[in-house]
Amino acid sequence: MSDLTYAEVSAKLQARWPENKMDPTLERVQRLTELLGDPQKAYPVVHLTGTNGKTSTARMIDSLLREAGLRTGRFTSPHLETVRERITLGGEPISEQRFVETYEEIAPYLDVVDSEQEHPLSFFEVITAMAFAAFADAPVDVAIIEVGLGGTWDATNVADGVVSVITPIAVDHAHILGADPVTIAGEKSGIIKPGGTAVLAQQSLDVLEVLQRRVAQVGAQVAREGLEFGVTSRSVAVGGQLISIKGLAGEYEDIFLPLHGEYQAHNAATALAAVEALLGATEQTEGRVTAEVVQAGFAETTSPGRMEVVRTGPTVIVDAAHNPHGAEATAATVSEAFAFNPLIGVVGVMRDKDVYGVLEAYEPIMETIVVTRNSFERSMPAEELGEIAAEVFGEDRVVVRPNLVDAIDEGLRLAEQDAIAFGSGGVLITGSVITAGEARKLLVRKPKEAEQR
């Protein structure tokens, strides 16, 4: 019987140094994992970094590996609704009971490291260690690990990826990682390890040069989108898209992917290459990655909070894009997959982001923008966001609603009202992972709730 409740453990974690701060050292987390017996070495690891697409790609890798018969552990961040989402076993979030038990198992070692170090362990360092321990205890056949921030100095980098996946790199967290993609690529390239395989999604030429230099330095193998693998065709389909992929070990035709957007097709190609690389992409393992496995694995893929339709009549989409690169991809996807007239935006952002860049990406597709904020301290006040939005959209297209519930209600009202005159209205709720998660919690009926009703 556990002494602590799930709420108490969550509070203890949240009281630690926040994950949006970065201290360029692995000393604390290395000391912790050493005391725990290095659980991250108990299974092969697929390690992911990049600016956008990490979580979706990780979920696809997870789905494909489970379809191939492997027991998986997946660690991603941030979470949408509950911190348990970050640690999944067999595709499902760790249970509250197991979450508490895992914390209690490592808690004595947290005290040891905290007492030894100048700064105590951070929230992210602790939950990373919890994931490593939970996966070793399960045990899993393979762990899919997403970095929290950057690469070289990220707490997850105490694990050595058999396969290192780098999704497209752009500018985000510039105050921490650097102001340009090349500098950021240098930090993220640190997850590429000697003897492993680097799977590189499409990158700009200067970023690719940085990544390939790291590959050469450590003697890794490399698979590059557009050369060794890639999307050969795609077309919009009801509920997603049909794609064909050239993989490392074969061609896979007419795969249904129940996710919208060209970027998700590229994420799928990267995920498939990572799975092929992990399983060897050789004649000996060819049977593990069959056309049937690929079809079924992608068909079961979900990506909550990523272009997710959470309501119809009017259609409401929740999307976690929080930087210009992601917002541009979301805007292109909405235009391709939907025919909203009008589209109303409900947007809440973090104040440390490129807010102008995000709003400029959405201005061409949103008839009206309802600016709001989420519950986090780092969220930009709605009034301040409204002033910036007025510069981009014009004052007559901006509505300020500081409360997220009120903002969603206003978005729905505008979409329904204007749809009568113009056609089929829609609402896009976006700007931050936290905004997307809080909106999703309000709008998505949970199975238990549905049963009770």
Side-chain angles (χ1 to χ4, degrees):
M1 186 71 177
S2 299
D3 295 328
L4 296 172
T5 66
Y6 172 67
E8 288 170 336
V9 171
S10 296
K12 284 179 176 290
L13 290 170
Q14 293 298 338
R16 288 185 171 271
W17 200 23
E19 62 186 319
N20 64 304
K21 292 186 178 180
M22 186 177 178
D23 182 20
T25 178
L26 295 179
E27 188 175 342
R28 288 185 300 272
V29 71
Q30 280 177 332
R31 177 61 175 144
L32 177 56
T33 54
E34 178 185 79
L35 289 171
L36 295 175
D38 285 325
Q40 76 280 9
K41 296 181 180 179
Y43 35 75
V45 168
V46 178
H47 202 181
L48 296 95
T49 190
T51 302
N52 292 303
K54 297 185 296 295
T55 300
S56 292
T57 305
R59 293 180 71 96
M60 292 179 196
I61 292 170
D62 192 348
S63 184
L64 288 167
L65 289 174
R66 282 186 283 115
E67 195 63 38
L70 299 177
R71 179 163 171 75
T72 60
R74 186 180 74 242
F75 179 63
T76 55
S77 60
H79 57 274
L80 283 170
E81 297 180 35
T82 168
V83 70
R84 293 186 298 108
E85 297 168 20
R86 296 178 182 234
I87 304 173
T88 69
L89 293 166
E92 296 296 327
I94 190 172
S95 68
E96 288 190 5
Q97 179 182 345
R98 189 67 196 119
F99 188 88
V100 171
E101 290 171 350
T102 302
Y103 178 82
E104 289 184 327
E105 285 167 9
I106 75 167
Y109 305 101
L110 304 183
D111 295 337
V112 172
V113 178
D114 285 346
S115 67
E116 291 178 348
Q117 301 293 323
E118 180 181 356
H119 299 294
L121 289 153
S122 69
F123 164 88
F124 190 74
E125 287 168 333
V126 174
I127 200 160
T128 298
M130 286 177 64
F132 290 155
F135 297 158
D137 287 345
V140 300
D141 297 318
V142 59
I144 303 115
I145 307 290
E146 176 189 329
V147 304
L149 185 63
T152 301
W153 301 112
D154 187 76
T156 63
N157 206 32
V158 296
D160 293 328
V162 175
V163 178
S164 301
V165 178
I166 303 186
T167 65
I169 292 175
V171 176
D172 196 12
H173 303 290
H175 60 297
I176 297 173
L177 299 179
D180 62 87
V182 169
T183 303
I184 293 169
E187 165 65 21
K188 292 183 183 293
S189 71
I191 74 164
I192 300 172
K193 299 297 175 64
T197 299
V199 175
L200 310 180
Q202 276 189 335
Q203 310 286 349
S204 63
L205 288 177
D206 49 358
V207 165
L208 183 60
E209 183 180 343
V210 172
L211 301 179
Q212 291 193 139
R213 190 181 307 131
R214 170 69 179 181
V215 167
Q217 286 172 347
V218 301
Q221 302 296 311
V222 67
R224 298 155 293 185
E225 185 178 7
L227 293 173
E228 285 79 20
F229 70 93
V231 178
T232 56
S233 70
R234 60 179 294 271
S235 59
V236 177
V238 176
Q241 55 191 307
L242 277 178
I243 60 175
S244 295
I245 299 173
K246 173 197 170 188
L248 302 181
E251 302 271 349
Y252 306 89
E253 303 287 339
D254 297 328
I255 305 159
F256 176 66
L257 182 67
L259 303 173
H260 298 288
E262 181 179 4
Y263 70 99
Q264 292 288 23
H266 290 288
N267 287 342
T270 303
L272 178 55
V275 169
E276 290 180 311
L278 177 71
L279 299 181
T282 65
E283 291 181 7
Q284 289 78 9
T285 59
E286 188 177 1
R288 299 297 287 273
V289 190
T290 64
E292 291 74 22
V293 162
V294 173
Q295 291 279 0
F298 281 126
E300 293 298 318
T301 296
T302 61
S303 195
R306 277 75 181 174
M307 281 302 300
E308 181 184 15
V309 176
V310 296
R311 172 177 165 165
T312 56
T315 298
V316 179
I317 298 169
V318 170
D319 190 79
H322 54 275
N323 54 49
H325 184 262
E328 287 163 7
T330 296
T333 299
V334 171
S335 299
E336 175 187 80
F338 301 91
F340 296 131
N341 190 12
L343 174 66
I344 308 300
V346 175
V347 179
V349 301
M350 296 302 189
R351 59 173 176 261
D352 58 349
K353 296 297 182 179
D354 180 356
V355 179
Y356 279 97
V358 169
L359 296 181
E360 285 169 351
Y362 288 132
E363 189 277 331
I365 68 166
M366 292 178 177
E367 180 75 19
T368 301
I369 182 172
V370 182
V371 297
T372 187
R373 69 172 300 171
N374 59 55
S375 65
F376 269 47
E377 279 186 22
R378 288 193 298 122
S379 182
M380 177 176 282
E383 295 78 6
E384 184 180 343
L385 179 55
E387 292 175 5
I388 298 173
E391 295 179 34
V392 176
F393 284 76
E395 288 186 14
D396 59 328
R397 294 169 60 196
V398 179
V399 178
V400 179
R401 292 289 184 272
N403 181 278
L404 181 59
V405 173
D406 294 340
I408 293 172
D409 286 344
E410 180 67 8
L412 292 169
R413 187 188 69 79
L414 290 170
E416 290 172 333
Q417 167 190 291
D418 294 345
I420 295 171
F422 299 108
S424 178
V427 179
L428 173 62
I429 306 173
T430 187
S432 160
V433 176
I434 305 303
T435 302
E438 293 182 353
R440 191 174 188 274
K441 196 169 186 177
L442 292 167
L443 294 167
V444 177
R445 290 174 62 183
K446 306 300 184 294
K448 287 183 180 177
E449 294 173 358
E451 288 171 11
Q452 289 169 358
R453 295 177 188 176

